[in-house]
Amino acid sequence: MDTMLARILTVIFIFLTSHLFAQSYTYEEVSGDNVYHYVYDVLKIPDGTKIQVIKKEGDKILEDHVFYLNSQLHTEKWIFKRSRDNTSVTAELKGDEVHIQGIRGGDRIDEDEDLDEIPWIQLWPMNLGLENFLRSTDEEIRYWAFGTEKPGDLELAKFVASKEEKERVRICNEEVMTQRVKITLSGWRSLFWAGNFFFRESDCRIVKYDGDGAPGKPG
């Protein structure tokens, strides 16, 4: 089983005004012999939040994500670029559908995906979409998200996030209290992948991931 550990390396708070603020985070992912870094820039905008996440290996940019979230932290728009296979797509909420278009692996994609009452929370890589759930008394949440790894690459799937016990986790020589959340694919697909995500209790930021393969990818 590959184990990936996300460690907060830096947290920088830059207050722009009393109403608008930005946060920057850098995470390290270790998967076998591979080491990746994720740079998060989170900006409050009118009526929501904009998040850019860049995945890097050394100086090389592997992925670039831009998320636009509404006031409930549900996804309204997602722009995704992946260098290794010429993938560049935009997915946008339009009524009760998500329209995704662009290039996937060099081939054009232009599709509409139907939603039900369950929200679209494009969580990969991890963004703020579960914060309201973590702060609530709810024990479980269901949501839609596009996969970013094969076999479900850029296919919309339903996930389930369930609160488990709280645990102390050591990060950079400091112990923090976390809420462990188990995330699986919904229904019978839960047999193919599950991951444990540890969110720092003080601010609901993810500090650790442990699971079978990359998030959302069958092991």
Side-chain angles (χ1 to χ4, degrees):
M1 177 180 73
D2 290 336
T3 299
M4 296 189 295
L5 177 63
R7 297 192 294 264
I8 292 183
L9 303 178
T10 59
V11 181
I12 304 172
F13 295 90
I14 307 171
F15 288 88
L16 303 178
T17 71
S18 59
H19 300 289
L20 296 178
F21 67 92
Q23 300 172 328
S24 295
Y25 303 87
T26 301
Y27 288 84
E28 182 179 89
E29 175 189 306
V30 180
S31 180
D33 295 329
N34 299 317
V35 179
Y36 308 105
H37 289 94
Y38 295 80
V39 180
Y40 283 68
D41 288 308
V42 182
L43 176 67
K44 294 293 291 184
I45 59 176
D47 301 321
T49 304
K50 176 184 176 183
I51 304 172
Q52 182 172 25
V53 185
I54 295 177
K55 180 181 180 180
K56 302 175 70 175
E57 185 176 23
D59 294 329
K60 182 179 180 181
I61 296 177
L62 303 179
E63 295 180 3
D64 187 349
H65 303 251
V66 179
F67 305 88
Y68 292 88
L69 313 182
N70 64 19
S71 59
Q72 296 178 294
L73 301 180
H74 298 164
T75 308
E76 292 193 330
K77 186 176 181 180
W78 172 50
I79 303 168
F80 175 46
K81 298 178 181 179
R82 186 173 58 209
S83 62
R84 73 171 186 265
D85 64 348
N86 188 29
T87 289
S88 179
V89 298
T90 297
E92 189 167 6
L93 185 65
K94 295 182 180 296
D96 57 357
E97 295 181 333
V98 177
H99 181 68
I100 183 169
Q101 64 177 347
I103 303 296
R104 175 178 58 190
D107 296 324
R108 179 157 297 279
I109 180 175
D110 190 341
E111 299 174 357
D112 291 314
E113 301 283 356
D114 292 328
L115 298 180
D116 49 21
E117 73 282 359
I118 297 172
W120 174 31
I121 302 179
Q122 188 56 41
L123 214 58
W124 321 122
M126 298 300 291
N127 64 50
L128 309 184
L130 291 186
E131 183 172 333
N132 289 340
F133 164 64
L134 291 165
R135 296 188 187 279
S136 75
T137 58
D138 296 336
E139 293 298 318
E140 182 179 282
I141 185 175
R142 295 174 182 269
Y143 63 93
W144 293 99
F146 287 93
T148 56
E149 299 282 352
K150 293 181 179 179
D153 189 30
L154 296 185
E155 293 185 4
L156 195 65
K158 190 177 294 185
F159 292 83
V160 181
S162 305
K163 290 177 182 174
E164 304 287 329
E165 66 270 19
K166 295 181 179 181
E167 295 185 21
R168 288 194 176 275
V169 173
R170 180 169 291 276
I171 303 294
C172 298
N173 297 319
E174 179 184 357
E175 278 197 353
V176 296
M177 182 61 75
T178 67
Q179 172 66 64
R180 180 158 66 92
V181 175
K182 182 179 181 180
I183 299 180
T184 69
L185 288 159
S186 180
W188 60 268
R189 294 185 178 183
S190 64
L191 298 173
F192 296 105
W193 176 81
N196 290 301
F197 297 79
F198 298 79
F199 295 87
R200 189 165 53 191
E201 195 171 41
S202 61
D203 60 4
C204 301
R205 297 298 178 262
I206 185 170
V207 295
K208 180 181 176 182
Y209 162 69
D210 190 359
D212 297 331
K217 178 181 179 180

